[in-house]
Amino acid sequence: MIDAIDREILRTLQDDGRMSATALAAEVGLTVAPCHRRLKDLEASGAIVGYRAVIDPAAVDLGFQALVFVTLDRVDRATVDEFEAKVAENVHITSAQRLFGDPDYILKVLARDLEDYQQYFDNELTSLPGVLRLRSTLVMKNLKPKAGLPL
């Protein structure tokens, strides 16, 4: 069970995942040993699923973002499984959610620029299994690029 101290550890790590155990312990009001133990327990329980760098897409020439609304022509198990497998392996799709209702999915796609996105749309998105309709909207501004969970 996650208690208030565990939540504080998680909140703190969402802001700075590279924080040392000593600094984390000081931040949450524990000594190092119990803080380290709690951290390991949070990792073992699956509450913490990993650590990674947050990279500015524009800094690596991927500053163009589109949201793509996908409607499938059928939603049988085989089509859904095949579609989701192709989406999962596609590196340009950085976020994907299955939705209730219409559309069936929303995908976040990164590209270099409009021309790069158009090529990607024509060559890859349209060939995803079971696609009936694709609608894109371009992201003007990302207001919460590093938002964590509301702990």
Side-chain angles (χ1 to χ4, degrees):
M1 191 71 174
I2 293 178
D3 63 14
I5 295 172
D6 288 339
R7 286 185 185 281
E8 186 61 29
I9 290 170
L10 294 171
R11 261 193 299 274
T12 303
L13 287 175
Q14 278 188 143
D15 292 335
D16 182 2
R18 292 179 51 127
M19 182 177 281
S20 71
T22 303
L24 179 61
E27 184 76 22
V28 300
L30 292 174
T31 58
V32 175
C35 182
H36 192 310
R37 188 170 38 256
R38 283 176 176 265
L39 186 57
K40 291 301 175 195
D41 289 346
L42 288 166
E43 291 168 352
S45 74
I48 296 174
V49 295
Y51 301 89
R52 66 175 156 188
V54 178
I55 300 166
D56 177 6
V60 292
D61 201 23
L62 291 170
F64 187 89
Q65 297 179 36
L67 299 177
V68 181
F69 303 93
V70 181
T71 301
L72 299 180
D73 62 359
R74 59 196 178 285
V75 289
D76 58 274
R77 174 57 38 210
T79 302
V80 167
D81 288 349
E82 188 180 5
F83 175 85
E84 290 181 1
K86 290 292 187 185
V87 165
E89 70 187 30
N90 193 302
V91 297
H92 288 276
I93 300 170
T94 61
S95 175
Q97 287 82 34
R98 185 172 180 195
L99 308 173
F100 281 108
D102 186 37
D104 297 307
Y105 293 88
I106 184 170
L107 312 176
K108 180 180 171 187
V109 176
L110 297 183
R112 286 188 313 273
D113 52 29
L114 181 59
E115 182 179 342
D116 186 42
Y117 175 69
Q118 181 261 315
Q119 291 289 323
Y120 175 76
F121 184 95
D122 291 346
N123 297 324
E124 295 194 44
L125 289 177
T126 59
S127 67
L128 288 170
V131 169
L132 172 66
R133 182 174 50 254
L134 297 167
R135 286 188 358 250
S136 297
T137 189
L138 306 181
V139 176
M140 182 185 304
K141 181 179 183 181
N142 190 347
L143 302 178
K144 295 178 79 172
K146 295 187 272 182
L149 298 177
L151 299 172

